[in-house]
Amino acid sequence: MVSRPRSGRPLRTLLAALVAVSVAVPVSGAARPAAVPAPAPVALAPLRTAAGPGALAGRYALNRAGIRAAARMAEGHGDRARARALRRMAGPNRQFLSFDGRGGGRTVEVLGDLARAARIAVLVPGSDTNLDTYGRFLKGATALRRTLDARTVVVAWLGYPTPGTVSPDVLTTGLADSAAPQLRSYLGDMAALRPAARISVLCHSYGSVVCGRAAPGLSVANLVLYGSPGAGADSASALHTRAAVWAGRGADDWIAHVPHGRLRLPFVTVGLGTDPMSDAFGARVFAAGAGGHSDYLAPGSVALRNIARIVSGRTPAEGHRDA
């Protein structure tokens, strides 16, 4: 059943947002990253078979070669900024489980020693995350890794084409529905690769919609939604997962003002479901401090400290639910 906002005002707001975004997209489209040509990704054995340091090292080396090939093609295309970014990604200490440079790019990067991991934190990003903005995503992943112990690995999973912040895609679960099978498959492979590891999935902004759609049946310890516009569900129990479901939102995060609920229109359902910070959703709420939408993994922040506690199996400071 489709959830409905409590009054007509959120419905009207959703409709107004849909109209505004539809008008804005042609204007803002030029600001989206250009499609830079890249070679097809290198052929890899299934991830679940890459047990042991040697197999992982070989996989990382193959992906470094693929990234270097993509850098050469970007240089030949005339996109020197993309080529420079790719050459940095191909550095000798970088560890990519997979890489596909086509379009906006899809990558899975490991920070830490996956062969010895006792705990794994998988980061799922939100809108406007791609090869051209990857440094921002990596910065947060690096800050989290430095907050954790040596037996905890952070995985930056850019495994889907993220929506533009100003686009109709951010108002529906469409991209998340397409991305969810890939995230579910990846997490299944990770659980098979490290069966004793405690896995937490950390989902920022639109990434929490991807996580929500992938959640049913996931064998993970925690599902952490932060800066979330919704998880595409009416409640935590509707996610049908045995994972502990957490939610946090910074006091200065503009996402708090996004209307929640879902509105069925003739050809599409608009809206991303119940606010994860609400009593009605029923998540465990952690304190996220005073930060804004991009500050959750900022070094030294309240949100980073509490997310790290969740990943480590400790109790975070409790936050306040929204009414």
Side-chain angles (χ1 to χ4, degrees):
M1 174 163 306
V2 175
S3 65
R4 299 188 181 278
R6 298 177 198 174
S7 71
R9 185 173 181 181
L11 288 170
R12 291 194 299 273
T13 305
L14 279 172
L15 281 172
L18 179 62
V19 171
V21 167
S22 298
V23 170
V25 165
V27 176
S28 64
R32 296 286 293 145
V36 181
V42 296
L44 298 168
L47 175 59
R48 61 181 60 219
T49 67
L56 286 169
R59 192 179 186 97
Y60 299 151
L62 284 171
N63 282 308
R64 277 194 291 273
I67 296 169
R68 287 193 292 269
R72 290 192 294 271
M73 190 170 284
E75 186 79 38
H77 182 68
D79 195 324
R80 295 180 179 178
R82 172 72 66 88
R84 284 194 299 271
L86 289 170
R87 285 193 291 268
R88 287 193 295 270
M89 292 174 75
N93 296 321
R94 303 290 288 272
Q95 302 178 142
F96 286 88
L97 290 174
S98 64
F99 173 83
D100 184 348
R102 295 172 296 182
R106 300 186 190 188
T107 69
V108 180
E109 184 171 9
V110 175
L111 284 71
D113 186 355
L114 184 56
R116 297 178 59 250
R119 288 162 297 278
I120 302 170
V122 179
L123 294 179
V124 181
S127 60
D128 287 322
T129 307
N130 49 63
L131 289 179
D132 292 338
T133 62
Y134 186 77
R136 181 180 62 198
F137 184 38
L138 179 63
K139 184 178 180 180
T142 301
L144 177 62
R145 176 67 188 85
R146 289 173 176 167
T147 309
L148 299 164
D149 64 35
R151 294 293 306 278
T152 304
V153 163
V154 173
V155 177
W157 186 86
L158 176 54
Y160 77 110
T162 66
T165 300
V166 181
S167 74
D169 291 328
V170 297
L171 299 177
T172 78
T173 64
L175 283 179
D177 291 334
S178 298
Q182 281 99 21
L183 178 58
R184 191 180 297 116
S185 175
Y186 165 74
L187 291 170
D189 283 348
M190 187 61 68
L193 182 68
R194 299 294 303 164
R198 186 176 189 271
I199 299 175
S200 298
V201 189
L202 313 181
C203 318
H204 178 235
S205 194
Y206 190 86
S208 62
V209 190
V210 178
C211 292
R213 303 308 259 190
L218 280 185
S219 181
V220 299
N222 298 292
L223 200 63
V224 185
L225 315 175
Y226 53 102
S228 174
D234 296 336
S235 65
S237 62
L239 297 177
H240 302 293
T241 176
R242 289 178 292 177
V245 180
W246 299 86
R249 184 159 63 217
D252 199 32
D253 190 342
W254 57 262
I255 207 78
H257 306 296
V258 170
H260 293 90
R262 284 182 285 172
L263 174 64
R264 193 186 298 278
L265 298 174
F267 301 105
V268 67
T269 297
V270 181
L272 302 174
T274 304
D275 182 357
M277 293 293 292
S278 68
D279 281 328
F281 191 80
R284 306 180 190 186
V285 175
F286 66 92
H293 193 62
S294 300
D295 299 332
Y296 290 93
L297 300 182
S301 67
V302 172
L304 176 63
R305 185 163 60 248
N306 282 319
I307 289 170
R309 290 183 69 88
I310 293 169
V311 171
S312 301
R314 296 178 291 162
T315 303
E318 187 175 349
H320 299 290
R321 295 184 186 276
D322 287 358

